[in-house]
């Protein structure tokens, strides 16, 4: 959300924490509460529900995002 949504680093962190309220940050299974990846939820928040139609280039996580794993 920082890189694609123009949010500050702190705003990005706060937005992510709003999406992951159920487990502590260090929990290894934290991301499994959603069917889709965090990328999908961030793109929806930034570009709207139809981002895959309006921005097909963002339908899949970028190589830079994948490299964070």
């Amino acid at each position: 959300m920082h890189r694609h949504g123009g949010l500050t680093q702190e705003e990005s962190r706060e937005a992510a924490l709003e999406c992951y309220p159920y487990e502590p940050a260090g929990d290894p299974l934290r991301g499994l509460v959603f069917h889709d990846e965090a990328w999908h939820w961030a793109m929806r928040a930034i570009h709207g529900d139809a981002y895959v139609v309006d921005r097909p280039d963002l339908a899949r996580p970028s190589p830079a995002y994948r490299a964070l794993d």
Side-chain angles (χ1 to χ4, degrees), residues 5-47:
L7 299 179
T8 67
Q9 195 72 22
E10 184 59 31
E11 290 169 333
S12 297
R13 185 173 289 114
E14 289 174 15
L17 289 174
E18 286 180 26
C19 290
Y20 293 103
Y22 304 110
E23 295 113 21
D27 189 321
L29 301 179
R30 178 178 172 159
L32 295 179
V33 298
F34 293 111
H35 177 266
D36 293 306
E37 294 181 86
W39 172 269
H40 166 72
W41 296 104
M43 293 303 106
R44 280 187 68 211
I46 295 166
H47 299 289

